[in-house]
Amino acid sequence: MAHPADDLDGLPLERLSALEAEHAELQRRMADPALHADASRARRVGRRYAEVDQIVTALRDLRGAAEDRDAARELAAEDPEFAAEAERDAERVATLREHLRELLAPRDEDDSRDVLMEIKAGAGGEESALFAAEMLRMYRQYALSRGWTLEVIDSTDSDLGGIKDATLSIRAGSSAVGGGVGTGGATGGAGGGAAVGVWAHLKHEGGVHRVQRVPVTESAGRIHTSAVGVLVMPEADETDEAELLAEQMASANLRIDVFRSSGPGGQSVNTTDSAVRITHLPTGIVVSCQNEKSQLQNREQAMRILRSRLLEARRAAQDAEASASRRSQVRTVDRSERIRTYNFPESRVTDHRTGFKAGNLEAVLAGDLDALIDSSRRAEAEQRLRDAAEGEL
């Protein structure tokens, strides 16, 4: 007869024991009011707790299910009616064990981070700008459905009410951190997702989104194809990569210009020089913000974006040096690649990386992105497990 401990064979027992000890320590730290006096530190501890808590919860579920299975088997020896229950418990043990194995697989260290997203109108002129505005609404509704907050940091409107470009901050609230994916998610089925945070869900949205429909600007009723570019970056905390960012963000490396904000077509919306443009001289990265009313607020927002862009540039350089087997994202390293098509005549959305098709375009644009995002997360999880297995050979 199996013993609950036998069901942990093949799993990293020392690591599991260390994670249980870390879980207890993180609980102690989170109960300390002093931690919450430092919002940045509290956020980092909360992220780590959400990651470890999933693993420890899965381990406890596995142990409990194994004990239930063994108890049912003992009863079945005397009463055959318990045999079916023992079989169900055995299947649950196998499912929970696989789930725990997936949770322990290597994953993106940034999965628990919040994100900065940029949406840019591309080929298609005004039609592209109008669809970019629809995509902004789509991500806003998706964020609301998960209990996240979406803030428009900077945006430029088009003449017909679309957006030429927009920079967004999407952050998980304290209650949302640690949430799993939707039904059938990348690591669903056994209770909760293997990855937490906004980046885990939205990192695969980066790329070119193509739309096929009859534009409102088209009088002949012909279907046009337009494109919108999306860039997603994990948001950098002020304390992230402290030494690197301190050096990179030194005043000697920055040129800060102020100018007057303007609206669509160049019309003035502000009579003071409140808009801010920051140029990072070593890399040539340029960030500008004009949505806030004060120069100080625009400067803070621009610095926030610059920090994340520098962190993303560092990640990209590391990815370029890594071997292909260590690149775990689902073909999103090349952000110029077309990743998705929204076909209005057929009410269909197609993800070109995973082959997943959704026949509910209207619902998708209303924020129902779970199935599409889950298809990318499943592909990533499967790739990580393959990479981990190859590394063990």
Side-chain angles (χ1 to χ4, degrees):
M1 180 177 293
H3 185 274
D6 297 337
D7 296 290
L8 299 180
D9 287 346
L11 295 173
L13 300 182
E14 290 186 7
R15 182 182 172 199
L16 286 169
S17 178
L19 286 169
E20 286 186 291
E22 182 183 2
H23 184 262
E25 173 61 17
L26 288 168
Q27 282 184 318
R28 185 195 66 76
R29 292 181 64 187
M30 291 182 68
D32 184 356
L35 171 68
H36 302 281
D38 184 337
S40 179
R41 188 162 62 98
R43 192 160 52 243
R44 290 197 307 278
V45 172
R47 288 173 183 164
R48 179 58 181 165
Y49 176 78
E51 295 170 355
V52 176
D53 185 61
Q54 290 187 92
I55 297 172
V56 171
T57 298
L59 176 60
R60 291 171 179 172
D61 288 346
L62 174 58
R63 285 171 174 161
E67 290 174 357
D68 291 343
R69 176 205 59 201
D70 291 351
R73 284 176 175 174
E74 290 179 3
L75 292 170
E78 301 176 0
D79 186 347
E81 291 186 3
F82 284 96
E85 182 179 339
E87 185 62 28
R88 287 194 298 270
D89 288 339
E91 292 176 358
R92 183 165 181 264
V93 166
T95 299
L96 288 170
R97 187 179 187 282
E98 180 61 21
H99 176 57
L100 180 57
R101 188 175 75 87
E102 291 176 356
L103 288 175
L104 291 168
R107 66 178 56 87
D108 189 336
E109 63 182 13
D110 289 329
D111 272 351
S112 61
R113 289 186 185 274
D114 298 323
V115 308
L116 290 179
M117 175 182 285
E118 297 181 10
I119 301 175
K120 295 180 178 294
E126 191 64 45
E127 164 64 8
S128 175
L130 290 170
F131 190 64
E134 290 187 55
M135 290 191 66
L136 170 55
R137 288 191 290 271
M138 176 182 76
Y139 288 123
R140 187 188 299 278
Q141 290 303 117
Y142 179 69
L144 285 172
S145 73
R146 301 201 66 87
W148 300 339
T149 57
L150 184 149
E151 173 192 3
V152 178
I153 296 176
D154 194 46
S155 66
T156 304
D157 297 335
S158 70
D159 294 333
L160 296 184
I163 56 171
K164 296 178 180 178
D165 58 75
T167 301
L168 324 173
S169 166
I170 307 178
R171 291 183 165 183
S174 57
S175 61
V177 173
V181 230
T183 303
T187 50
V196 297
V198 184
W199 174 252
H201 293 81
L202 294 183
K203 60 185 171 184
H204 301 301
E205 294 299 294
V208 175
H209 295 243
R210 188 177 67 169
V211 57
Q212 295 175 321
R213 66 180 177 185
V214 178
V216 295
T217 55
E218 171 60 52
S219 58
R222 294 173 297 184
I223 295 174
H224 285 215
T225 298
S226 303
V228 173
V230 174
L231 173 67
V232 189
M233 300 174 288
E235 182 164 6
D237 290 335
E238 291 187 18
T239 52
D240 282 336
E241 309 288 346
E243 293 184 3
L244 169 72
L245 289 176
E247 178 181 346
Q248 292 288 314
M249 300 286 285
S251 57
N253 290 332
L254 305 178
R255 186 178 73 232
I256 302 176
D257 302 308
V258 296
F259 57 99
R260 188 160 298 177
S261 302
S262 61
Q267 68 187 55
S268 176
V269 296
N270 197 325
T271 57
T272 62
D273 292 336
S274 61
V276 173
R277 180 187 300 110
I278 301 179
T279 303
H280 187 251
L281 300 175
T283 62
I285 294 174
V286 179
V287 176
S288 61
C289 281
Q290 64 176 9
N291 277 26
E292 303 296 339
K293 293 183 179 180
S294 78
Q295 184 183 126
L296 178 60
Q297 289 174 315
N298 281 321
R299 175 175 172 144
E300 290 175 349
Q301 297 284 38
M303 293 288 276
R304 176 179 168 188
I305 296 171
L306 179 58
R307 274 195 299 271
S308 292
R309 286 192 180 176
L310 288 172
L311 190 62
E312 173 70 1
R314 183 172 183 266
R315 282 172 47 88
Q318 291 174 336
D319 282 347
E321 296 172 359
S323 63
S325 64
R326 294 181 60 192
R327 293 181 182 178
S328 57
Q329 291 193 21
V330 187
R331 297 173 62 195
T332 55
V333 174
D334 179 6
R335 297 188 185 277
S336 65
E337 181 180 88
R338 179 194 65 184
I339 66 164
R340 193 175 293 161
T341 295
Y342 303 76
N343 186 310
F344 276 72
E346 299 178 12
S347 188
R348 185 182 69 241
V349 184
T350 303
D351 191 297
H352 301 291
R353 299 157 301 176
T354 66
F356 182 84
K357 295 181 180 181
N360 59 337
L361 185 146
E362 187 175 339
V364 168
L365 291 177
D368 185 5
L369 290 169
D370 282 335
L372 283 160
I373 287 174
D374 288 353
S375 71
S376 293
R377 292 188 63 194
R378 275 195 298 273
E380 179 190 10
E382 291 165 3
Q383 183 61 53
R384 286 187 181 277
L385 288 171
R386 285 194 295 269
D387 291 346
E390 291 174 3
E392 294 171 359
L393 296 178

